[in-house]
Each structure stands twice: as structure tokens, then as C-alpha cells.
């Protein structure tokens, strides 16, 4: 009797361990071999670079947005473009537009063939604006590429994992649902990883593109204002709305009059 009980207890211990889930990411990588590890590392690298680009572009965009606020509030209060540009940040996008405009006007005076100052200045300011927009768009192509290719890279890992699982199942001669579901479901982890990498990249790409469009509109408006200012010798410039004067306090004045009375 005791021998039978001991034998039953010894058989129950392996059964408990067998009931645990033997599948997961590490198991899929170990069974998938070199191809599974390569797919996993590629997806990890894509994710790391995607987030790096997203945060660096957000910082760069926010810097230009803050510069735009300072330009609208104080730049046009200066008596000349040179003095206004001197007060801007050294690497400011708006300072670059003003400096390129001043250089273009100086170069126009040195031209031997007659070229309209309006056309020459417009082309120079447009080139400066395009250079800034091109710099802002750097790296966004990588986000678009990750969003388009990461799901297929994950799907490739899934196909290889299912292929290996089916070969192993066929070699063992067992095709029951409990034998098939584990390895096949484990292979689908790669597809989930591909989607997890692609979705943030697509969202970041669309969001950054929208912010770049807004910044480009502000740069175009500022460039147009600089153009009008320069071709009119300072006669045309945007109106600067000053701070409203503090309102009078009639209640206080009335109280003072009542005190004197």
C-alpha cells in the first residue's frame, strides 16, 4: 500500500511541472534558431531607432515652435532686420531666413545682369525655407519604412516558426490539438512583435508630419513678411499687437472721492 502511494506521488510531481506553460518568447527564439533571433534583433533595432527619431524630432520641432513665439512677440519691434536677427538664437531657423535674405540683397547689388530684386530675393528665401523643411523631415522616411515593413518581417518569423513546428509535429507522429496549438501559437509571437514595432512608428510619422506642416506654414508666413519688408525698405511689415493697457478702476476713484467728501 505504501509502495503504491509513493509511486502515485512520484508521478504527480512531473505532472504538475508538465501543467506549466512551456511556451513563450524565449522558447520561440530557442526553437526558431538563427532566423528567429535575426528577426527579433531586427525588430528590436527598428523599435529603438524609431523611438530615438521620434523624441529627437519632437525636441527639434518644439525648439522651432518656441522660436516662432518669440519672433511674433518681439522681432518686428526692432528698428532693422540686422538688429532683430542679432537678438535671435544663434542656430534659430528664423535667424537663418533673415540672414539668407540679407545676403541675397547684398549679392543682388553685385550682379552684372539685370535681375529683379523681387525675384532674386524670393528665390533665396525659398531656398532657405526648403533647407529648413528638409532638415525637419530627416529621419521620417525611416519611420515610414518601419511602419511598412515591420509587420512583414514579423510575419516572416512566424512562417519560419510554424514551418519548424509542423516539421517537429510530423516527426513525432502526433497531431492532436494540444500538440499543435502550442508551437503554432508560439510562432505567432513574431507577428505580434512586428505589429508592436510598426504601429508606434506609423503614429509617430503621421504626428510629426502634421507638426512639420504647421511649422512650414509659419516659416512661409515669416519669409513672406521678411520679403515684403526688404523690397519696401522697411515700409511694409506685419503689425505688432501690443499688450493692452490696464483698465481703469472706477470703483477706487469713487471711493477716494467719497473719502474726501
Amino acid at each position: 500500500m505504501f509502495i503504491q502511494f509513493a509511486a502515485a506521488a512520484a508521478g504527480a510531481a512531473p505532472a504538475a511541472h508538465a501543467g506549466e506553460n512551456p511556451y513563450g518568447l524565449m522558447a520561440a527564439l530557442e526553437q526558431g534558431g538563427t532566423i528567429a533571433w535575426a528577426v527579433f534583433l531586427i525588430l528590436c533595432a527598428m523599435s529603438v531607432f524609431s523611438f530615438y527619431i521620434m523624441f529627437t524630432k519632437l525636441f527639434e520641432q518644439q525648439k522651432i515652435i518656441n522660436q516662432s513665439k518669440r519672433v511674433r512677440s518681439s522681432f518686428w519691434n526692432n528698428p532693422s532686420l540686422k538688429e532683430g536677427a542679432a537678438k535671435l538664437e544663434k542656430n534659430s531657423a528664423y535667424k537663418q531666413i533673415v540672414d539668407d535674405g540679407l545676403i541675397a540683397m547684398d549679392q543682388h547689388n553685385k550682379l552684372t545682369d539685370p535681375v529683379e530684386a523681387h525675384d532674386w530675393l524670393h528665390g533665396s528665401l525659398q531656398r532657405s525655407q526648403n533647407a529648413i523643411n528638409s532638415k525637419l523631415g530627416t529621419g521620417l522616411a525611416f519611420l515610414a519604412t518601419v511602419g511598412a515593413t515591420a509587420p512583414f518581417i514579423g510575419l516572416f518569423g512566424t512562417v519560419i516558426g510554424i514551418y519548424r513546428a509542423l516539421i517537429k509535429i510530423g516527426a513525432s507522429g502526433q497531431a492532436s490539438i494540444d500538440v499543435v496549438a502550442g508551437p503554432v501559437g508560439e510562432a505567432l509571437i513574431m507577428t505580434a512583435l512586428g505589429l508592436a514595432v510598426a504601429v508606434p512608428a506609423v503614429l509617430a510619422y503621421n504626428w510629426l508630419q502634421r507638426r512639420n506642416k504647421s511649422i512650414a506654414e509659419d516659416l512661409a508666413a515669416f519669409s513672406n513678411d521678411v520679403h515684403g519688408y526688404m523690397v519696401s525698405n522697411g515700409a511694409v511689415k506685419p503689425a505688432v499687437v501690443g499688450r493692452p493697457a490696464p483698465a481703469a478702476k472706477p470703483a477706487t476713484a469713487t471711493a477716494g472721492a467719497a473719502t474726501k467728501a
Side-chain angles (χ1 to χ4, degrees):
M1 188 72 176
F2 178 76
I3 296 175
Q4 293 178 352
F5 178 77
H17 289 289
E20 298 179 359
N21 184 14
Y23 305 109
L25 176 61
M26 294 307 299
L29 294 177
E30 292 175 358
Q31 296 179 10
T34 304
I35 296 178
W37 276 105
V39 170
F40 177 73
L41 294 177
I42 290 173
L43 292 176
C44 288
M46 283 183 168
S47 180
V48 170
F49 280 107
S50 296
F51 279 98
Y52 172 77
I53 292 173
M54 180 178 67
F55 286 116
T56 54
K57 287 302 169 182
L58 281 176
F59 175 78
E60 186 177 356
Q61 289 176 344
Q62 191 60 44
K63 184 178 180 181
I64 296 181
I65 291 174
N66 294 335
Q67 293 170 359
S68 175
K69 295 178 181 178
R70 289 191 290 269
V71 166
R72 287 196 299 266
S73 62
S74 62
F75 178 80
W76 295 108
N77 291 327
N78 294 281
S80 66
L81 290 180
K82 289 184 178 180
E83 294 184 13
K87 296 179 181 179
L88 296 177
E89 297 179 10
K90 182 178 180 181
N91 297 324
S92 172
Y94 292 88
K95 178 178 174 61
Q96 178 180 336
I97 290 178
V98 176
D99 290 342
D100 290 343
L102 294 173
I103 293 173
M105 288 299 293
D106 182 65
Q107 292 175 344
H108 180 265
N109 297 328
K110 300 177 182 179
L111 296 177
T112 56
D113 293 335
V115 178
E116 289 290 338
H118 169 80
D119 297 334
W120 178 262
L121 182 59
H122 180 270
S124 299
L125 292 175
Q126 187 64 45
R127 286 196 301 271
S128 179
Q129 183 182 340
N130 291 339
I132 297 172
N133 292 333
S134 177
K135 183 179 179 181
L136 286 173
T138 303
L140 297 186
F142 180 81
L143 294 180
T145 302
V146 170
T149 59
F152 296 102
I153 295 175
L155 183 61
F156 174 74
T158 295
V159 171
I160 297 300
I162 292 176
Y163 171 73
R164 290 179 177 273
L166 292 178
I167 289 180
K168 185 178 296 185
I169 292 170
S172 64
Q174 298 178 358
S176 59
I177 188 64
D178 57 338
V179 176
V180 174
V184 173
E186 184 179 70
L188 294 176
I189 293 177
M190 290 300 175
T191 298
L193 289 177
L195 293 175
V197 173
V199 171
V202 172
L203 295 176
Y205 173 80
N206 292 329
W207 185 34
L208 295 175
Q209 281 283 56
R210 181 64 188 90
R211 287 167 62 92
N212 277 349
K213 183 179 179 182
S214 178
I215 292 173
E217 292 173 354
D218 291 339
L219 291 174
F222 179 76
S223 178
N224 184 66
D225 293 337
V226 171
H227 188 191
Y229 184 93
M230 298 184 74
V231 297
S232 65
N233 293 325
V236 177
K237 66 178 182 179
V240 179
V241 181
R243 294 182 179 178
K249 298 180 180 180
T252 305
T254 305
T259 302
K260 291 181 180 180

